[in-house]
Amino acid sequence: AQTVTQSQPEMSVQEAETVTLSCTYDTSESDYYLFWYKQPPSRQMILVIRQEAYKQQNATENRFSVNFQKAAKSFSLKISDSQLGDAAMYFCAYSPSGTYKYIFGTGTRLKVLA
Amino acid sequence: DTAVSQTPKYLVTQMGNDKSIKCEQNLGHDTMYWYKQDSKKFLKIMFSYNNKELIINETVPNRFSPKSPDKAHLNLHINSLELGDSAVYFCASRRLAGTGELFFGEGSRLTVL
């Protein structure tokens, strides 16, 4: 079965510091997408960053970057220069290309300390 | 214009009642989903539709019945509500051949008393 695991239920980071959120997944597929979504207290789910499995280069979006290790089936999110507005639940998600499956991890609550 | 809109955003109702949540997307997407987010924030897929056709039907009680009148709409009807149905229900859409990004509605918080 395809699963997504986030082993850190909660993380804290000092404002302006860097934090890394972990995600591992299990699949036998070779072509798929990986995502990180953010859910602030407002409840709205927002895409932070996405990675296509066939691309070796790690995706980057401003202060957000990923460390994608395909062989290890690991997809961690690094947030640099953390800001108070980064405080939220972060969900890792997996979707095999061309399919309807879209599986979310259990989430990591990120607290940003002033 | 909101890309994926759900109504209502909040429902409070008694056990045993029937309720519906409506979802509409104006993004031209061909695939829509219903997810349930429980109190621990777990996001569990319930249903997926592609061009009005049911594709994914996870282990969900028969009291939950989705309906897709057209590919822009996916509604969720719940019969005989139970306490355990209390959750936030999210509608989402995507283009299957697109970037893979899911676009979410704001969620509908259902509270069953």
Side-chain angles (χ1 to χ4, degrees):
Chain A
Q2 293 157 334
T3 57
V4 177
T5 302
Q6 292 179 249
S7 58
Q8 306 151 316
E10 192 170 294
M11 293 280 286
S12 295
V13 63
Q14 207 67 35
E15 201 176 359
E17 297 294 309
T18 295
V19 65
T20 299
L21 308 184
S22 302
C23 173
T24 58
Y25 57 96
D26 186 24
T27 184
S28 56
E29 303 283 343
S30 59
D31 194 14
Y32 49 87
Y33 295 102
L34 294 163
F35 309 87
W36 279 97
Y37 284 87
K38 171 184 178 181
Q39 186 180 38
S42 67
R43 204 165 77 193
Q44 180 70 54
M45 293 282 286
I46 306 159
L47 179 68
V48 174
I49 199 164
R50 63 186 281 273
Q51 174 82 40
E52 291 155 315
Y54 70 86
K55 289 187 177 177
Q56 292 190 345
Q57 187 171 4
N58 289 324
T60 299
E61 288 286 342
N62 301 316
R63 298 182 296 107
F64 299 87
S65 62
V66 298
N67 183 1
F68 173 48
Q69 302 287 329
K70 191 171 184 179
K73 296 179 183 172
S74 169
F75 182 61
S76 59
L77 174 70
K78 186 170 87 171
I79 306 174
S80 303
D81 185 26
S82 297
Q83 300 175 359
L84 294 177
D86 295 333
M89 284 290 292
Y90 286 83
F91 292 94
C92 180
Y94 158 87
S95 180
S97 298
T99 77
Y100 301 96
K101 286 182 184 176
Y102 215 107
I103 303 164
F104 285 84
T106 50
T108 297
R109 182 178 300 280
L110 178 66
K111 295 183 177 181
V112 180
L113 309 172
Chain B
D1 267 355
T2 305
V4 182
S5 58
Q6 295 179 228
T7 53
K9 297 207 174 13
Y10 297 93
L11 307 89
V12 180
T13 188
Q14 299 287 331
M15 269 197 315
N17 285 350
D18 303 339
K19 288 293 178 187
S20 292
I21 307 171
K22 295 186 176 182
C23 178
E24 175 183 4
Q25 54 94 3
N26 63 5
L27 298 166
H29 290 165
D30 53 12
T31 302
M32 296 183 73
Y33 297 81
W34 278 111
Y35 280 88
K36 178 181 180 180
Q37 186 174 45
D38 62 21
S39 57
K40 293 182 179 176
K41 303 294 186 183
F42 296 160
L43 269 168
K44 184 182 173 187
I45 190 168
M46 301 174 71
F47 304 102
S48 174
Y49 272 73
N50 177 263
N51 288 323
K52 303 194 301 177
E53 182 183 346
L54 179 64
I55 301 296
I56 294 175
N57 185 354
E58 290 292 316
T59 308
V60 176
N62 290 338
R63 300 181 294 102
F64 290 80
S65 52
K67 279 194 173 54
S68 182
D70 55 61
K71 72 175 190 177
H73 295 84
L74 179 61
N75 304 323
L76 183 66
H77 186 75
I78 316 169
N79 289 325
S80 303
L81 279 157
E82 300 177 357
L83 293 176
D85 297 333
S86 295
V88 179
Y89 293 85
F90 282 96
C91 176
S93 73
R94 65 187 282 211
R95 193 164 59 90
L96 188 63
T99 63
E101 180 180 356
L102 262 186
F103 291 78
F104 284 84
E106 293 176 296
S108 298
R109 180 179 292 280
L110 171 65
T111 302
V112 182
L113 303 175

